[in-house]
Amino acid sequence: LRGPGENPAAAVLARAARVVATVVGGRSADDALAASGEGSRLAAVRAIALGTVRWYLRLEPAIDSLLERPRGLAPEIHALLLAAAHQMEYSRVAPELTVHTAVDAARALRQPRAAALVNAVLRRLLAGRQALFARLDAELATRTAHPRWLVEKLSQAWPERLGTILEANNLHPPMVLRLNPRRRSAKQYLADLAGAGIAASLVEWGERARPHGVPWPVGVRLERPVPVAGLPGFSEGWVSVQDAAAQLAAPLVDAAPGMRVLDACAAPGGKAAHLLESAPGPIELTAIDIDARRLERLEESLARLGLPASCRAADIRDPQSFWDGKPFERVLVDAPCSGTGVIRRHPDIKLLRRPTDIPVLARNQLAILEAAFGLLAPGGRLVYCTCSALPEENEGVVARFLERQRQARPASAPAGEALAPGALERNPGTQLLCGGAAGTDGFYYACIEKTTTGT
Ligand SMILES: C[S@@+](CC[C@H](N)C(=O)[O-])C[C@H]1O[C@@H](n2cnc3c(N)ncnc32)[C@H](O)[C@@H]1O
């Protein structure tokens, strides 16, 4: 038997298959990749695994139609067949070569008896794949590799944009940086990038959300993703990686110097860091998150950027556990959500989410919003956001909240097109959709203020 060391491509494919099987078993792709070990081939493993996960719901019915008992297969062999089918369908590798590599990968997975089956199934796919996919692609959900329930929900919410959203969800996302112009001007940084051979341009619409005309923030879109270690000034804190839609939170919060600001769901800390970087003077930021491990990432990121905040592992729904009783003038609620706006970055969402998750998430979002609002000073502003494309988690939550809270009302803030190109004004709030004119992830924002009267 040949070992994985003798065929590097097979070793990579086998590792990717393990990652895919782990995701199908219910773990996130980030966790599965982290558990798959380090090494120079991690980037290749990642590319194959994420590509297979992205197209899983199209590839699976094709492979399963060629198997007598798909459920009888070892999960890693099933995942290997899908990873090989992904290479045949979506890469430039010669399909014949993929068959050989997959057979070796079955051995590398210590399943030598599966090698013959892998060979037979992939050869049948090779012979008949055009007709097979033509038949399967008749259904939109399969053609775009999305779960049917999600296609239904998106079609109800955004009938005219459905095709664009589904297509954009399957594209590779751009790498966007948030520049800290206190450390480096946009012009200087573009020159730094050019000097490092990294092609990039400014997110030119970024100025729209600036309430005080402050030249902030400055999004920089790279033509091709690069490892962060290769970015000029990354370890010195000149830049952070953050999609342009997420860069709208801080300007909407609009914190002034000296304000007490709460980031109620703060980890891993992109928006907390931005709040600190973008305030025109020092603010007093309390950053809490229920997940102590994720909070460590926030602390690391603030240390890299040299930014001060009081960080606490706490549940926002239990304010007694962290609150000193002094109200906050600004609150950001970046609520835990389905992530259906960021599928292009996290294709595993298509496999991991269930339709029953959505009402559970919405109930929790409302509870978090209500608890956070309780800590807001009269006259203060709260920004609620999610990276969900589903109204149930967005305006559905905020509308219910506004009905119940007599001291809450929509705050005046840039909305719709005034916030970002193609952004949709909702009642209440603004929705950015993946595939929209701004080229961002899908995001929802609502700005709420607490009146000084009413109970
Ligand atoms: C969308 S993420 C926040 C991302 C973060 N704002 C950023 O920009 O990096 C939502 C976060 O809410 C946290 N969370 C969930 N339920 C919570 C609760 N009841 N109290 C506080 N944090 C909570 C999760 O652990 C998760 O880190």
Side-chain angles (χ1 to χ4, degrees):
L1 296 185
R2 293 191 357 191
E6 290 170 56
N7 182 346
V12 167
L13 194 59
R15 249 178 97 185
R18 278 206 182 101
V19 171
V20 173
T22 307
V23 172
V24 174
R27 279 181 82 182
S28 75
D30 283 348
D31 282 358
L33 281 162
S36 89
E38 294 293 322
S40 57
R41 295 183 193 141
L42 185 58
V45 172
R46 186 185 164 80
I48 297 174
L50 290 186
T52 307
V53 167
R54 180 170 288 120
W55 289 104
Y56 192 95
L57 295 173
R58 178 171 182 256
L59 299 167
E60 188 192 36
I63 288 294
D64 286 3
S65 74
L66 302 172
L67 289 165
E68 263 173 44
R69 286 192 313 119
R71 303 290 154 251
L73 274 190
E76 289 181 351
I77 294 299
H78 189 246
L80 172 62
L81 287 168
L82 269 88
H86 172 264
Q87 280 208 305
M88 286 182 178
E89 199 55 13
Y90 299 101
S91 84
R92 293 205 196 109
V93 178
E96 284 286 344
L97 182 60
T98 296
V99 178
H100 290 299
T101 308
V103 169
D104 277 357
R107 297 188 179 116
L109 288 168
R110 299 190 208 296
Q111 303 261 0
R113 279 190 293 178
L117 176 130
V118 167
N119 185 43
V121 170
L122 293 180
R123 285 196 183 286
R124 281 169 63 198
L125 180 66
L126 197 54
R129 77 187 156 124
Q130 272 183 352
L132 181 55
F133 280 116
R135 181 167 56 76
L136 293 170
D137 286 348
E139 197 196 339
L140 179 64
T142 309
R143 182 166 75 248
T144 59
H146 280 71
R148 288 190 186 99
W149 68 266
L150 183 56
V151 173
E152 257 164 50
K153 277 195 183 293
L154 290 171
S155 129
Q156 274 162 19
W158 316 108
E160 284 158 21
R161 289 163 200 265
L162 180 66
T164 314
I165 297 172
L166 298 176
E167 199 181 312
N169 283 348
N170 286 331
L171 297 179
H172 288 269
M175 183 168 177
V176 182
L177 308 179
R178 184 187 77 241
L179 175 62
N180 181 345
R182 290 216 180 111
R183 311 293 294 273
R184 206 86 180 134
S185 77
K187 200 172 156 201
Q188 281 169 328
Y189 198 68
L190 285 178
D192 296 334
L193 286 172
I198 301 171
S201 55
L202 287 183
V203 177
E204 69 294 336
W205 54 267
E207 288 303 305
R208 293 188 187 200
R210 252 37 79 227
H212 301 310
V214 181
W216 206 288
V218 184
V220 176
R221 192 181 159 114
L222 304 189
E223 243 165 56
R224 266 177 299 281
V226 298
V228 288
L231 290 171
F234 182 77
S235 52
E236 292 89 339
W238 297 356
V239 283
S240 302
V241 178
Q242 189 175 48
D243 187 73
Q247 295 189 34
L248 294 169
L252 288 174
V253 169
D254 191 21
M259 278 186 175
R260 278 171 57 84
V261 181
L262 171 67
D263 186 342
C265 297
K271 297 180 195 71
H274 194 198
L275 285 168
L276 289 159
E277 284 175 354
S278 62
I283 57 169
E284 217 180 294
L285 179 70
T286 300
I288 73 160
D289 200 281
I290 200 167
D291 184 331
R293 272 186 50 214
R294 281 169 67 88
L295 198 73
E296 280 173 21
R297 287 172 58 200
L298 180 148
E299 285 167 329
E300 281 163 22
S301 154
L302 293 186
R304 174 180 68 85
L305 298 165
L307 298 167
S310 158
C311 303
R312 292 283 300 275
D315 184 338
I316 184 68
R317 296 164 303 178
D318 178 21
Q320 306 316 326
S321 65
F322 70 93
W323 191 39
D324 61 9
K326 288 192 212 148
F328 294 93
E329 287 131 320
R330 294 286 185 268
V331 173
L332 174 62
V333 176
D334 185 12
C337 72
S338 62
T340 41
V342 291
I343 285 174
R344 64 182 187 168
R345 293 190 193 280
H346 302 283
D348 49 340
I349 286 169
K350 295 194 285 188
L351 303 186
L352 299 175
R353 290 280 170 272
R354 299 280 170 265
T356 45
D357 294 343
I358 308 303
V360 177
L361 283 164
R363 274 196 294 281
N364 191 37
Q365 287 152 351
L366 184 59
I368 286 177
L369 177 54
E370 289 190 327
F373 188 76
L375 313 186
L376 185 66
R381 165 190 287 221
L382 180 151
V383 174
Y384 173 86
C385 62
T386 73
C387 56
S388 167
L390 302 177
E392 283 153 276
E393 298 178 80
N394 297 337
E395 62 257 40
V397 170
V398 178
R400 277 183 67 200
F401 166 77
L402 290 171
E403 267 166 35
R404 286 152 66 131
Q405 271 290 343
R406 300 189 55 200
Q407 255 194 295
R409 67 177 178 213
S412 106
E417 280 278 344
L419 191 60
L424 304 171
E425 208 162 333
R426 309 297 294 165
N427 185 18
T430 291
Q431 180 78 51
L432 289 92
L433 291 169
C434 191
T440 66
D441 291 345
F443 245 84
Y444 170 81
Y445 284 103
C447 299
I448 298 162
E449 69 182 18
K450 191 178 244 183
T451 60
T452 45
T453 54
T455 48

